[in-house]
Amino acid sequence: MEKMVHIAVVPGPGFSHLVPILQFSKRLVQLHPNFHVTCLIPTLGSPPSASKSILETLPPNIKSIFLQPVKPEDLPQRVAIETQIQFTVTLSLPSIHQALKTLTSKTPFVALVADSFAFEALDFAKEFNLLSYIYFPSSATTLSWYLYVLKLDKETSCEYRDLPEPVKIPGCVPIHGRDLNNQAQDRSSQVYKLFLQRVQRFCFFDGIFINSFFEMEASPIRALKEEGRGYPLVYPVGPIVQTGDDANGLECLTWLDKQEVGSVLYVSFGSGGTLSQEQVNELAYGLELSNHKFLWVVREPSSLAFDAYLSAKRDVDPLHFLPGGFLERTKEQGLVIPSWAPQIQVLGHSSVGGFLTHCGWNSILESVVHGVPLITWPLFAEQRMNAVVLSEGLKVGVRPRVGENGLVEKVEIVEVIKCLMEGEEGGKMHKRMEELKEAANSALKEDGSSTKTLSELVLKWENLV
Ligand code: UDP
C-alpha cells in the first residue's frame, strides 16, 4: 500500500497568492493521490468572495483553514501593497504556529510549503521537523532577479532606474532598472529593505518551486540551476493554472459565442488592478476607435493601481465611470462587464484573439496555456519585468508606450490593438504563442519536464515517511 504523505501549505494573503498554491496542491494530489495537503490561510479583514468560492471546489484530500483574520487597522498605515501582504503574514504567525502544532501532534507531516510572501512561516519548519520550501508564483526571470539583487545591491549605489545600461541578470533578457519590481524602485525605502531581507532568506530553504516551465524560460532556469552560485534548489513545475469549470451560460460567454473566431480582444487588469479615471477614459476611447471587438472587465477607477487587491471593495457600479455615451455607442462592438470575468473560460474561447493584460503572472500563464497573444500593460509589483519577458524576450506581446503625462493615450492604444489583432507582427506573435501553448502542454504530460520535476521531489518526500 502507498504511504500517506502529509504536507502543509501557507499561501500569501490575496486571491492571486491563494489560487496558485491551491492549484499546485491540486496538481500534487491529482498526480499522487496518497498526498494530503492542509492549507493555512492568512487573511487581511474578511477574505474576498472569490477566495471563499475557490475553497469550495477542493478535492477531499486538500483541507483549508482560515486563520484568525488580521485587522486592517493593525497594519502600518499607507504602506506599499507588498508591505501590507508581508505584515499580514507576520501578524498571522502565532496562528500559523498554533495550527502547525495541532496538526503535527496528530499526524507526521513531511514538508511545509509557503508562498514567497509567507516565508516567515518556514521558521517553524525545524521545530516541527519539516522540510521547507517556497512556492514562488512567478517567473524564473523574477526569481533570478530576486537572487541577483543581493549582488547588485552591494556593487551599485544609485537607484537602479538610473543605471546607464539595462540590468543583465544571468540567463535573462536584459531589463532596464525602471522595469524592475516596485520594491526595487526606491533603495532608501522600507519596502526595499524588507525585500532584501526576504530574498536573503530564500537561500536557506530546502528548495523553491516556480510556476514556470523549462521550455518557456530555459535560459534563466539553466542559470538558476548552475552550481557555484549558492542558490537553493529550484523546481520548475508549471504552468499551473486554474481549470475553471462551471461558468456556462454566463452573459459574456454567450456573447463570445456570437463573435467570429479570434476577433475579440479581452481586456482585464487582474484580480485587483485599477486605472485612474483619466486612464479609463483613454482606454475607453482607444477601444472604441480601434473598431475591434472587445470584452472589457471594468473596475471602479482609483489613483492607486492595486486598490482592489487585498480585500473586498465597496459596492459601486464601475460602469458609472465610463465616458458618457460609451456604452450606447459601443453596444455592437463590445461588452463591458463589471469587476470580474470567468477569465479561464474567456481565454479558452475560440472568439478571443488577444488579451490586454496587466501582466500578472497567472494571467500570463493562462494566456500561454490557451495560446492567446498579448498587449502587455503592466501596473505594479513585478509586472513590468513580465512585460519585458513577453514583449522583448518571447515576443508574444506588444507593449504600449506610456506618455509623458503618465497615461497610455488613445492613439497609442489603437496602434497596439491594430498591431496585435490585424498586423503582420501580430500574426507572428500568434504563431509564437501557439508554439508556446504546445510546449506548455508537453511540460505537463506524464513524461513532461514539469511533471518529472515534481515526481522526483515527491519520491524524496515519500522516502521520508
Ligand atoms: N481573474 C479572474 N477574473 C477576473 C480577473 C482575474 O478569474 O476578472 C483571475 C485570473 O484568471 C488569474 C487571477 O485572477 O488567475 C489574477 O492573477 P494575476 O497573477 O494575473 O494578477 P494579480 O491579480 O495578482 O494582479
Side-chain angles (χ1 to χ4, degrees):
M1 209 178 89
E2 272 190 310
K3 297 176 201 163
M4 287 294 173
V5 185
H6 290 266
I7 69 161
V9 302
V10 183
F15 181 75
S16 51
H17 286 266
L18 172 66
V19 171
I21 212 161
L22 284 179
Q23 287 305 127
F24 166 72
S25 306
K26 277 194 193 172
R27 178 147 172 85
L28 182 67
V29 301
Q30 184 198 10
L31 291 174
H32 305 278
N34 57 325
F35 269 68
H36 285 251
V37 179
T38 307
C39 181
L40 310 173
I41 310 171
T43 58
L44 177 64
S46 60
S49 55
S51 297
K52 290 192 215 146
S53 24
I54 196 125
L55 295 173
E56 284 159 19
T57 64
L58 296 178
N61 43 354
I62 304 180
K63 302 263 178 303
S64 63
I65 303 174
F66 271 117
L67 301 167
Q68 180 75 29
V70 169
K71 296 195 196 104
E73 57 271 25
D74 289 344
L75 290 189
Q77 297 304 299
R78 277 195 278 278
V79 290
I81 182 83
E82 294 86 358
T83 313
Q84 290 183 40
I85 294 177
Q86 200 163 321
F87 276 153
T88 302
V89 177
T90 310
L91 293 175
S92 303
L93 287 175
S95 334
I96 296 173
H97 184 264
Q98 186 52 48
L100 286 172
K101 196 169 170 189
T102 311
L103 290 170
T104 53
S105 66
K106 294 186 203 135
T107 323
F109 276 61
V110 295
L112 180 59
V113 183
D115 176 82
S116 72
F117 277 106
F119 68 96
E120 290 169 293
L122 298 177
D123 287 347
F124 303 135
K126 263 213 175 76
E127 179 181 344
F128 299 110
N129 200 19
L130 305 167
L131 291 173
S132 57
Y133 297 86
I134 293 279
Y135 187 76
F136 193 75
S138 205
S139 69
T141 301
T142 303
L143 179 62
S144 303
W145 161 240
Y146 279 24
L147 297 169
Y148 185 69
V149 69
L150 298 170
K151 181 168 151 34
L152 202 63
D153 182 68
K154 290 200 187 91
E155 289 173 357
T156 60
S157 56
C158 65
E159 289 299 343
Y160 298 127
R161 62 173 174 275
D162 296 330
L163 289 172
E165 297 289 322
V167 179
K168 296 200 179 72
I169 309 160
C172 301
V173 55
I175 298 180
H176 196 286
R178 66 175 169 263
D179 281 330
L180 294 168
N181 57 330
N182 275 19
Q183 291 161 284
Q185 292 300 329
D186 175 1
R187 292 176 68 174
S188 62
S189 66
Q190 181 199 30
V191 76
Y192 179 68
K193 290 185 183 109
L194 284 173
F195 171 54
L196 286 189
Q197 280 166 18
R198 181 156 70 100
V199 295
Q200 255 152 12
R201 303 276 293 281
F202 279 17
C203 295
F204 299 102
F205 302 128
D206 292 297
I208 302 185
F209 293 102
I210 44 173
N211 193 3
S212 186
F213 56 104
F214 188 76
E215 294 76 356
M216 183 168 173
E217 291 196 282
S219 173
I221 291 174
R222 266 197 211 104
L224 279 168
K225 284 173 179 274
E226 229 165 68
E227 279 179 33
R229 290 194 205 281
Y231 287 175
L233 292 172
V234 172
Y235 301 96
V237 292
I240 298 181
V241 300
Q242 288 186 71
T243 42
D245 313 310
D246 55 16
N248 292 332
L250 289 179
E251 187 201 1
C252 65
L253 298 178
T254 319
W255 182 82
L256 283 174
D257 287 343
K258 295 189 203 125
Q259 311 307 321
E260 280 174 32
V261 173
S263 67
V264 177
L265 178 72
Y266 169 56
V267 182
S268 168
F269 295 89
S271 66
T274 43
L275 303 177
S276 66
Q277 178 66 68
E278 295 74 23
Q279 188 62 82
V280 168
N281 295 345
E282 290 298 319
L283 180 53
Y285 291 125
L287 289 170
E288 185 178 349
L289 292 170
S290 78
N291 280 326
H292 277 275
K293 296 269 173 146
F294 63 84
L295 173 61
W296 180 12
V297 187
V298 177
R299 205 161 274 141
E300 182 191 349
S302 165
S303 51
L304 270 183
F306 49 79
D307 206 24
Y309 191 70
L310 274 182
S311 46
K313 283 284 128 185
R314 64 203 179 100
D315 214 4
V316 180
D317 182 0
L319 305 196
H320 283 149
F321 300 90
L322 295 170
F326 172 80
L327 288 174
E328 182 54 30
R329 289 195 305 275
T330 58
K331 64 177 193 271
E332 300 298 325
Q333 187 193 347
L335 184 69
V336 171
I337 43 178
S339 302
W340 199 256
Q343 180 159 305
I344 297 292
Q345 286 85 350
V346 168
L347 287 171
H349 199 290
S350 58
S351 298
V352 172
F355 180 12
L356 189 163
T357 171
H358 75 314
C359 297
W361 192 243
N362 295 301
S363 294
I364 288 169
L365 289 181
E366 289 159 8
S367 219
V368 164
V369 164
H370 292 104
V372 180
L374 308 160
I375 293 174
T376 55
W377 182 320
L379 296 178
F380 58 94
E382 85 296 3
Q383 293 155 9
R384 288 180 302 271
M385 302 182 64
N386 295 341
V388 174
V389 169
L390 294 155
S391 45
E392 292 170 35
L394 296 163
K395 298 192 168 48
V396 291
V398 51
R399 184 172 177 183
R401 201 176 38 82
V402 181
E404 281 179 5
N405 55 4
L407 296 175
V408 182
E409 292 180 359
K410 54 181 180 288
V411 183
E412 176 71 8
I413 296 169
V414 172
E415 201 160 299
V416 288
I417 295 176
K418 286 190 184 292
C419 167
L420 185 75
M421 303 298 282
E422 59 191 63
E424 192 189 332
E425 195 43 46
K428 289 185 189 155
M429 288 180 213
H430 265 273
K431 196 165 165 287
R432 286 191 281 263
M433 201 47 137
E434 273 301 319
E435 288 163 10
L436 210 49
K437 172 183 166 179
E438 288 308 312
N441 283 337
S442 303
L444 296 178
K445 286 195 179 136
E446 205 178 325
D447 59 348
S449 58
S450 294
T451 310
K452 279 208 263 182
T453 301
L454 188 58
S455 300
E456 278 160 25
L457 193 68
V458 158
L459 198 63
K460 179 172 164 182
W461 288 349
E462 281 174 337
N463 288 337
L464 290 174
V465 178

